[in-house]
Amino acid sequence: GEIRRSGNGPDPDQAEALLKAATELEDYTDKAQAQKRIALTEQGIAELLDNVRGAVEVAYPNGLPDWDLAKVSLEDSMLGLKDTPIGAALLDKASTSLWVAGKEFER
């Protein structure tokens, strides 16, 4: 049947695990890493995304509805968020830059 959310959040331990996994991913992809000359790897990002997915699965064992932004972003890629306020901020061409060899190329 259809998955519905009750509006109740996960218990405090699960919420802490979710926050930890999300923070680790956010820290790994922060532009400060480029300034420290720490390279991102596809494998590193994939492992941290898997950690976030695992924390979501533990926190919501019955799953999330198809429309839930956490589910969309973790399963359908960032492009699934393109028509949402979160996606607009993440995929904003005006504030996006490319980093190559420790140099930031701005638009």
Side-chain angles (χ1 to χ4, degrees), residues 45-100:
I45 293 170
E47 286 174 9
L48 291 169
L49 275 171
D50 285 343
N51 292 348
V52 172
R53 283 185 194 100
V56 168
E57 288 174 11
V58 170
Y60 299 98
N62 294 328
L64 293 171
D66 290 338
W67 50 263
D68 190 281
L69 294 180
K71 181 174 182 161
V72 170
S73 63
L74 291 171
E75 291 184 0
D76 296 337
S77 84
M78 297 309 287
L79 294 178
L81 295 173
K82 95 177 166 186
D83 295 327
T84 68
I86 294 171
L90 291 173
L91 304 172
D92 181 20
K93 292 178 184 176
S95 64
T96 301
S97 62
L98 174 68
W99 284 84
V100 177

